[in-house]
Structures are given as structure tokens and as C-alpha cells.
Amino acid sequence: MTKNIITKRDFLRKAGMTTAGAVGATALATPYVRAQSPIRWRLQTYAGAALAEHVIKPSIDAFNKAANGEMIIDLYTADQLVPQGELFRAVQQGTIDAAQSDDDSMASPVDVSVFGAYFPFASRYGLDVPVLWNWYGLKEIWEEAYAEIPGVTWLSAGAWDPCNFVTTKPIRSLEDFKGLRVFTFPTGGRFMERFGIVPVTLPWEDIEVAIQTGELDGVAWCGATEAYTVGWADINQYYLTNNINGAWAGSFFANSEKWEAVPDHLKTLFQMAMDQSHYYRQHWYWWGEAHYRTTGGKLELTTIPEAEWKTVEDEALKFWDEVAGTSERTKKVVDILKKYQETMRGAGAPYRYA
């Protein structure tokens, strides 16, 4: 036993001497594995603090942990660093490094921005969005569009919740839309103006007070999950079950120079974080929409009869054709949406119900 111990010690001593010599001979050739200071990003989301806890914070926390000190992303909520309407320019100029938002409300200067957020009746369910981007060609179209704009790299799109009306006044017919002042997204608001809605844009933090003071009659910004999560169910009374879109389409964006400076393994890690964020929202919203409708207890559900609501759906197709006429690329997107709707209807339940 003693001999064995001496042999081990001799081995370790000799190995140490050999290693020391090797280090001296190869020190200049050894690659620099880790920077002394981590890469640091500032990322602003469209969402307020309570909502960000679900729609992005879990994935950013996971990324920061997995990056193991090589990269840290500091998360900021809606309007915290720059107003939502200036978010694109802020990323482009490098004021912030990345953003989570929809193209529409962040004023992306691309022709396809109209399809971000709630393009009327473009989707029925949350799964429609990732399917359209990953299997029907929208991913490649978005990459092409943003490649024409310097300074911003589009990274990934995913689905959020439907667009329902959460209001202080009941909506039971199309007539009830007339004159309602609602906080909503640019394209969805522009479409609903055809039915008398008055779209209003305000900073996120001002919405609650605006509803309480009567400046707003409600929001057309979310579904039941968000209405309860952010507190809007506490200051409104009614929830219209008809929606103008089944899933908000949002994306991640990065300043191009900052993105290119990120090592490939951290780019892959961030892609996984974005995918995790998309996955979490799929089941969180699917759970929440049904849960809060049936057990929330704060909002009275109202419905516009199906035959009357068809007027809105038919008008949306006219709106699609108008948008298709603005560029070859928007026409390509509208053609894809039409083909997708045709496929879903042809597939029948559960994809679409008659």
C-alpha cells in the first residue's frame, strides 16, 4: 500500500513538471476562451411589468443562467427606456440592443409591418402563427424585408393571445362599436374604424388611469389572460367573446452590429431562449383564455350574433385586398394567408369548425 502511494506521488510530481513545461511552450498558442467582461445587452419588451413576468422574463432569466457569465441581458418593460412607437429606431441606432414587440406598434419601416400584432382575422388560434412563419414561408419573407433595412436584424416570431374587446360598456351588436374609444394596435384600430371604433394610442402606464377617468372606454389589445393579469379586468365590466384575430404576432429584434458580435454558441442559446418563450406563451395563453372566461368572475361575457359578426369577417377580406395592393411582398403575404385559410377550412375540425 505504501509503495502504491509513493508511486502516485511520483506520478503527480512528474506530471506537474511535464505540464508546466508544456504550458510554457504553448501559452501563446492557447485560444482565449472567455472574455474578461461579459457581453451586456439591454432588451426592451412591449409588455408592462406584470405581463413581462410571463411573456419574456422566464426565458431571459434562463438565458442569463445558461450563458454562465459570458453574456447578460438586462430586461426593461414597456416604455421604460424609450416609448413603444420609437422602439424600432432605438434598436436601429443602438440606443438599446434588442426588442420584443410587434412590427406594427414599434413602427418598423417595412411593408410587412402591417401584418404584425393583429392583422384582422389572419389567425384563429395561437398555433396558426408559428405554422405560418415556419411552414408557409413568412419567416423567409420577414428575413428578406428586414435585410433591406440597415441596423436591425429580425430574429424570430411567435404567437400571443387573441384580440378581444374589454370595455366599460357592453357590446352586443355592431351598433355598440360606434364612438367607443379603445386602446389598440395601429392596423387593428384602422380596420375597426370602419365600424365606428375610435382607436387611441397611449403609453402603457397611462391606460389604467385613462379607463378610470373615462378617457378610454376600454381596450382591444388582448384576450382574457392579459386582461386579468395586468389588472384591466378590475376596471372594465365587459368582455366581447368575438375577436378580430385569434393570436397576436410578435417578434424578437436585435441591433445588427450587436447581433453579429455575439459568438455563434450564444446566438444558438438565444434562439433556444426565444423558442422557450414562444412555447411558454402557447400553453399559458391557451390555459388562461378558458380559465378566466369561466372562473374569472370580474367580466361579463357578451357576444355579437354570428350572422351579424360575419359582416366584420367579410369586411376583413376587403381590407386584405387593399393591403395586398400596396406592394408585391404584401400581396405575397396575403396570398399565403388566403391559401392557409383555405387549407384550414378544408381540413375541418379541429383546425376550423363550420
Side-chain angles (χ1 to χ4, degrees):
M1 180 66 68
T2 303
K3 183 178 178 181
N4 188 45
I5 294 175
I6 293 172
T7 301
K8 285 182 178 179
R9 287 174 178 170
D10 288 343
F11 172 79
L12 291 173
R13 178 179 59 80
K14 292 177 181 179
M17 292 174 62
T18 303
T19 302
V23 169
T26 62
L28 294 178
T30 302
Y32 188 62
V33 176
R34 178 173 172 180
Q36 292 180 348
S37 298
I39 298 169
R40 194 139 204 157
W41 271 15
R42 299 198 302 173
L43 186 157
Q44 182 171 308
T45 177
Y46 75 97
L51 184 56
E53 288 288 331
H54 289 279
V55 301
I56 189 171
K57 190 175 183 297
S59 62
I60 297 302
D61 287 346
F63 174 87
N64 287 338
K65 183 177 181 179
N68 198 30
E70 292 185 68
M71 183 170 175
I72 299 170
I73 298 176
D74 297 316
L75 179 62
Y76 296 86
T77 55
D79 305 308
Q80 197 170 357
L81 296 179
V82 298
Q84 173 66 18
E86 299 175 15
L87 198 51
F88 181 90
R89 296 299 182 191
V91 174
Q92 187 177 46
Q93 294 166 4
T95 305
I96 58 177
D97 305 299
Q100 179 203 45
S101 180
D102 66 282
D103 322 63
D104 195 27
S105 67
M106 71 185 286
S108 293
V110 292
D111 50 4
V112 295
S113 66
V114 68
F115 300 105
Y118 292 122
F119 190 66
F121 297 97
S123 62
R124 182 66 61 93
Y125 306 116
L127 277 174
D128 290 338
V129 172
V131 169
L132 281 164
W133 258 263
N134 292 296
W135 297 98
Y136 276 75
L138 294 196
K139 176 178 180 289
E140 290 73 20
I141 292 174
W142 257 246
E143 289 173 339
E144 174 190 89
Y146 280 93
E148 298 172 1
I149 306 297
V152 175
T153 299
W154 174 85
L155 298 177
S156 179
W160 274 252
D161 55 341
C163 184
N164 293 77
F165 288 81
V166 184
T167 57
T168 59
K169 302 173 182 178
I171 302 171
R172 296 187 174 94
S173 70
L174 296 185
E175 186 69 21
D176 294 330
F177 279 133
K178 293 181 179 179
L180 281 184
R181 297 159 297 175
V182 299
F183 171 60
T184 189
F185 291 87
T187 298
R190 190 164 72 250
F191 170 68
M192 288 305 297
E193 282 182 314
R194 301 179 179 211
F195 300 94
I197 286 289
V198 180
V200 178
T201 300
L202 289 172
W204 172 280
E205 62 186 14
D206 294 342
I207 304 307
E208 184 172 341
V209 173
I211 294 172
Q212 290 173 322
T213 60
E215 182 182 352
L216 286 177
D217 298 309
V219 299
W221 201 87
C222 61
T225 310
E226 290 188 9
Y228 278 85
T229 299
V230 305
W232 289 341
D234 298 326
I235 55 175
N236 288 283
Q237 287 78 50
Y238 302 96
Y239 181 91
L240 180 66
T241 60
N242 312 80
N243 62 57
I244 64 169
N245 194 300
W248 191 77
S251 296
F252 287 83
F253 307 84
N255 175 273
S256 297
E257 184 177 344
K258 295 295 182 64
W259 178 247
E260 290 306 315
V262 174
D264 285 345
H265 70 289
L266 291 178
K267 285 180 179 176
T268 300
L269 183 61
F270 190 64
Q271 180 65 60
M272 293 172 67
M274 291 187 290
D275 289 344
Q276 190 276 338
S277 177
H278 297 329
Y279 171 69
Y280 180 92
R281 292 191 313 272
Q282 286 284 320
H283 60 76
W284 182 60
Y285 281 120
W286 188 254
W287 161 80
E289 294 307 303
H291 172 77
Y292 288 113
R293 280 195 190 194
T294 57
T295 66
K298 296 178 180 178
L299 297 171
E300 179 183 336
L301 304 184
T302 65
T303 301
I304 295 176
E306 186 176 339
E308 187 177 2
W309 187 247
K310 191 175 185 304
T311 301
V312 184
E313 295 177 340
D314 292 343
E315 189 65 27
L317 294 179
K318 299 177 186 177
F319 185 78
W320 286 20
D321 289 337
E322 292 171 13
V323 171
T326 60
S327 75
E328 291 185 10
R329 193 154 48 213
T330 56
K331 183 180 185 305
K332 186 183 297 186
V333 175
V334 169
D335 287 344
I336 288 173
L337 293 177
K338 288 182 177 180
K339 176 62 177 177
Y340 182 72
Q341 298 284 24
E342 180 184 343
T343 300
M344 294 298 105
R345 286 194 298 269
Y351 296 93
R352 296 294 186 269
Y353 292 86

